[in-house]
Every structure is written in C-alpha cells, then in structure tokens.
Amino acid sequence: MKVVRHTDRDFAQRLRELDAPSSLFDLDIEQSARAILEAVQTRGDAAVLELIERFDGAKLPASQLAVTQAELMRASLQAGDALRAAVAAADKNIAAFAKKSRRKDWQARNSHGASVGERFDPFQRVGIYIPGGAAPLVSTALMTVTLARVAGCPQIVVCTPCDKEGAINDALLFAARGAGATEIYRVGGAQAIGAMAFGTNTIARVQKIFGPGNAYVVAAKRLVVGRVAIDLLPGPSEVLVLADETANPKFVAADLLAQAEHGSGHERVWLVTTSTTVLKEVQAELSRQLPGLARREFIERVLQNNGWLIQVDTMPAAVALVNRLAPEHCEVMTRKAREVSRGIVTAGAIFIGPNSPTVLGDYVAGPSHTLPTGGAAASFAGLTVGQFQRRTSEVEYTRAALRKAVRAVTSFAQVEGLSAHGASAQVRFTS
C-alpha cells in the first residue's frame, strides 16, 4: 500500500495523486463500452449472444436467454435453511427502510387558490443489473429488487452474467425471485445495459436501469442516459476508514480487506488517520490477516494499486480529505464518532463507531448498498426506493383562481414576446 504522512516533504504532491480519475472515466473502457452498445442497438439478440460467448464462454440460442420457471423452482429447492434465513432477515430490514423513505403524493393551494401538488407513480418497467462471475452478489438482488417491489413496479427485469455452461448461481436466482423479479436474463456486462436500454427481440426495453457493476457496466450506463434513465454510478467498491488513536487496528485492517476482495482490481481503499501508531499497526495487521483470506490475489492487487494509508495532522484536515475523496463507504472510528461524522458531507454511506463495519451495509442493515463510487458521491446519493418512483406535478385551476393569475401571465407573455401564451389564458374570459 502507498503510505503518506503529513510530515513528508512531498505530502501535498502525493495527495494530488488521489485526484486521479477512477476507472469510471477511463477513455479506453468507455470506447469499448460504446462499441458494445452500438452492436446491441444495431443487431439486437445476435450481438448479445456473440458477446456472451466472447466474454462468458457460453454459446446460447436466443430462446435460452430468459431464465425459466423450472430453473427458478430448482434454485428455490436448492436453497438451504441458512440462506433462507439470511435472505428473509435482510429483506425485512431493506423493505422496512424503503417503506419509510417512499415518496408520497401531496396537494396544496397556491396564492391563486389553485390546487398544485406532486404524484409519485412506480416506473412500469425497470431493469436491474446484478453482478455475477467469480463472486455472484446475491445481496445485490435484495438491495435493488426489493426496492422496486416496495415501490410497486409491476415489471422488474434482472440481467446477470452466466457461466460457461449458461448457468446462473442458484442462490442469486433464489434471492432475485424472492425479492420480486418478474423476468431474469442470463446477460452480463455492457451488453446487458444495451439490451435493457434499446430492447431486443427477446428483452423488451425498460424505462430506467439500476444496479452496480464493473467499470464497463457503469460506462455503458452513462452512455445510455437519454434513451433511459439511470440510478447513479455505482462502480467498483470503495471504503475509507477515518480513525484517530482510539481505533482498533484489527478492525480497520479487516474492513479494508473486505472491500478490496471484490475482484475487479479497480476497488479503492483508504485509511485516513491522525495517529502514527494506528497507521503502523494497521499496516502490520494487513500483513497478518491477508495470508488467511481465500481471495488473497485479488486483494493484493487492489492494495498495491489503489490502497492508501494516510496520516494527517488534525481531525479537521482528515474530514476535509474525506470530503475531497467522496468515498462510497466511510467508516468513522474516532472519539465522538457521530459528532465527527456530521462534518462528512460527500460520502455515499457513513458507518459510525467501531461496531458498524461496512459489511453490515453490504448485507443486512437496511439502506441499499448500491452507492456512488469514483468520486460521484460528491454529487449523487445512494439508491433509494424513491428512485423507482416517477414524479409528476399536477395543476388544477378553477375559473376564480385563473382570474387571479391572468394579469401576471399576460405580463410575462408580453415581456417574452409570446402573445399566444397570454391569449391562451385571456381567451377564457373573452369568449
């Protein structure tokens, strides 16, 4: 890992390396994603099937893109008691959290006495990307599909990669179906985003696309905005631990390692601390804990390329650095952790205190783990049930209310040189 201390002569220069663009904005990745999208838009199912064979190694006919009811039934039968209990516990918290944040219709009277308000309807057809591959993210099915179900979306389309035999992880299928998916397709990568955005003979287009993915998936999502809506830019995982001298180095190291193990190689992990001792002990703990982990090779690559141990001189400087980095996950392990956390205004999610590791948010706490990465948390919030609802404003004037508004409408129309605008209000009193 890269070690930087505020006493280093080149401290400011080293910190500028942190501002290097993430994989979300890699031009080579964007060009590759664009080519895939163009192929899917032009050739539909044929392009999707070719890309599945190229990237996943599975040779499929179009008739096998959709997961069958028989496959879903088999996956359900395969689910053991431990998985069923975990899925039920997570779904309960996720659904409860979503119901609390679901947006509600409202109406009020404006200064003219007219009725104005907002209506929130569920999107009728949504697409959800669930990463698969070496580490199928079963939890992501719950963190996305459950929200769509709570919002009331009638058509919930899931796309997820298959293996070389065309199979999808049974636990993922069990979770997706249980959460409320109405269609599941064995399509991954940027080609899945293209299929949902443009539509093919097999996969009808959706209104909005949700879900995390690798850098190619996220680049594809950015490129289809306008054809469809998207949720946010949730790319490779990130965690930043903000620690003072009270932090337990074992906890810090374990949490950094956990988010580094996803496997894309583009994950990013940071420790920002005011303590020389904590920095040294975390470094030692990483070396102790790493050899015993199953995905050691993936983790080592992340730590080498995108791992930082940073010591700053004061807690205000530490908080300022957190806000500059805008991490996906931020853990606060300090004295008065809640008070310190109030100064953090750009993180995707904040985990407060030594007993709130990010993995709770990954799996069971309740808020969706679909969060912005690559610095996007400075502008985007994490996924909420409200993003599955389409907002419509409503306006209803009576004749008496319209009479009160005509003078202002006429004035605006005259200033803007749009006489027909004024006439459309005045005609109701001159006919």
Side-chain angles (χ1 to χ4, degrees), residues 4-236:
V4 185
R5 297 179 175 84
H6 68 91
T7 52
D8 297 341
R9 285 185 295 179
D10 60 348
F11 179 66
Q13 180 180 342
R14 292 294 307 281
L15 287 188
R16 282 195 287 272
E17 294 180 41
L18 296 171
D19 296 324
S22 78
S23 61
L24 298 187
F25 307 102
D26 185 292
L27 290 178
D28 291 336
I29 290 174
E30 181 175 314
Q31 289 174 0
S32 296
R34 188 186 301 276
I36 290 170
L37 292 174
E38 289 175 353
V40 173
Q41 183 178 15
T42 303
R43 299 192 295 114
D45 282 343
V48 170
L49 294 169
E50 289 174 12
L51 291 161
I52 291 173
E53 184 174 5
R54 184 197 308 176
F55 295 119
D56 301 313
K59 189 171 180 62
L60 304 172
S63 60
Q64 290 183 13
L65 285 175
V67 173
T68 65
Q69 288 301 313
E71 289 176 279
L72 293 172
M73 182 61 69
R74 188 192 69 244
S76 180
L77 293 173
Q78 292 289 331
D81 291 343
L83 175 62
R84 290 179 184 276
V87 167
D91 185 81
K92 180 179 180 180
N93 281 348
I94 295 163
F97 189 94
K99 289 173 183 175
K100 287 284 187 183
S101 62
R102 188 168 48 196
R103 297 188 290 180
K104 297 175 176 60
D105 299 353
W106 64 269
Q107 287 188 329
R109 296 285 175 183
N110 70 5
S111 63
H112 305 133
S115 174
V116 295
E118 291 181 311
R119 195 180 78 208
F120 298 98
D121 300 305
F123 281 100
Q124 297 301 290
R125 184 172 174 83
V126 297
I128 295 174
Y129 187 84
I130 301 177
L137 298 185
V138 176
S139 57
T140 298
L142 300 168
M143 295 289 181
T144 50
V145 178
T146 300
L147 273 63
R149 184 190 80 225
V150 171
C153 300
Q155 297 179 35
I156 305 172
V157 180
V158 166
C159 284
T160 190
C162 62
D163 63 19
K164 292 180 180 180
E165 284 71 45
I168 297 172
N169 180 275
D170 281 338
L172 194 155
L173 290 178
F174 169 74
R177 184 195 190 199
T182 59
E183 302 167 39
I184 304 176
Y185 297 95
R186 56 188 102 242
V187 185
Q191 57 271 27
I193 304 304
M196 291 189 283
F198 305 125
T200 72
N201 287 338
T202 300
I203 305 172
R205 65 175 297 187
V206 302
Q207 294 171 283
K208 188 169 183 179
I209 296 175
F210 301 81
N214 64 22
Y216 294 90
V217 168
V218 179
K221 286 175 68 175
R222 285 196 296 112
L223 292 169
V224 298
V225 171
R227 291 278 185 172
V228 290
I230 67 167
D231 52 352
L232 57 148
L233 300 174

